[in-house]
Amino acid sequence: MSAHDGKTHAPVADGEELETTVVEAELVRSDAPLLDQFGRATTLTDALGDGLVVLSFTYTNCESLCGLADMVLGALLSHPARPDTLRILTLTLDPARDSPAELLKRHEAFGAPDGWLRLTGAPSVVIPLLSRNGVWDGGPIDEHSLVLIVGNAASGTATRIEGRSIDIDRIVDLLVNAG
């Protein structure tokens, strides 16, 4: 499913349902070079590690859904039932503008939590990763959806959650079941 099926950041009208889809997914791995918010070299495979992970996709100049995604993930990190070994990864949707310094500013704006890596890299590396994860199909960046991929990096099993209404307890349940 493409993240650009005509979905936009338009506000929800009164009475309109907040549609959220939950489907099986895969954790896409890659040994292509990336940088984290501290400027350290890594790869998506190394960043995923071999434990429980939530992968999100945002960009620093986003004025709507990306802040919501960061708030959800910040709340997840403080959830009492979250697995202790949880890793959160955020891959930028805008690698041309989101430098490690910009990602670090965003990270610090959300309290600089441990266990959360924000990743960027050359557009020639990041854009194919976004496409392989089904979050970018060449459409305008501001038409992206809120997408989280929740899974177990060791087994490769994952669940994709997409929508404007993300339930933190549901994410915790998926992580516990994936572990």
Side-chain angles (χ1 to χ4, degrees), residues 5 7 13 33 36 63 72 83 85 92 107 137 153 166:
D5 294 330
K7 298 175 186 170
D36 70 14
E63 296 181 2
V72 166
T85 59
T92 183
H107 189 64
D137 65 0
I166 305 292

Side-chain angles (χ1 to χ4, degrees), residues 39-167:
R40 297 179 300 210
T42 191
T43 67
L44 188 55
T45 298
D46 288 343
L48 286 168
D50 62 1
L52 299 175
V53 66
V54 175
L55 178 60
S56 69
F57 309 89
T58 67
Y59 64 105
T60 60
N61 289 326
C62 179
E63 296 181 2
S64 59
L65 289 179
C66 298
L68 175 62
D70 285 345
M71 288 177 17
V72 166
L73 295 174
L76 176 62
L77 280 173
S78 64
H79 194 286
R82 79 158 173 88
D84 291 335
T85 59
L86 175 64
R87 282 181 169 222
I88 294 179
L89 306 177
T90 299
L91 182 61
T92 183
L93 291 165
D94 191 1
R97 283 185 239 168
D98 282 349
S99 67
E102 289 297 315
L103 295 180
L104 183 58
K105 285 183 204 171
R106 181 74 170 212
H107 189 64
E108 290 171 343
F110 281 88
D114 291 334
W116 189 343
L117 288 179
R118 295 174 185 268
L119 304 170
T120 191
S124 62
V125 171
V126 174
I127 290 171
L129 290 176
L130 296 172
S131 295
R132 288 177 55 203
N133 278 289
V135 296
W136 191 73
D137 65 0
I141 191 171
D142 63 347
E143 291 183 6
H144 74 90
S145 294
L146 195 160
V147 175
L148 301 176
I149 298 176
V150 178
N152 183 325
S155 68
T157 59
T159 302
R160 176 189 172 100
I161 304 170
E162 180 175 356
R164 288 187 257 173
S165 177
I166 305 292
D167 180 3

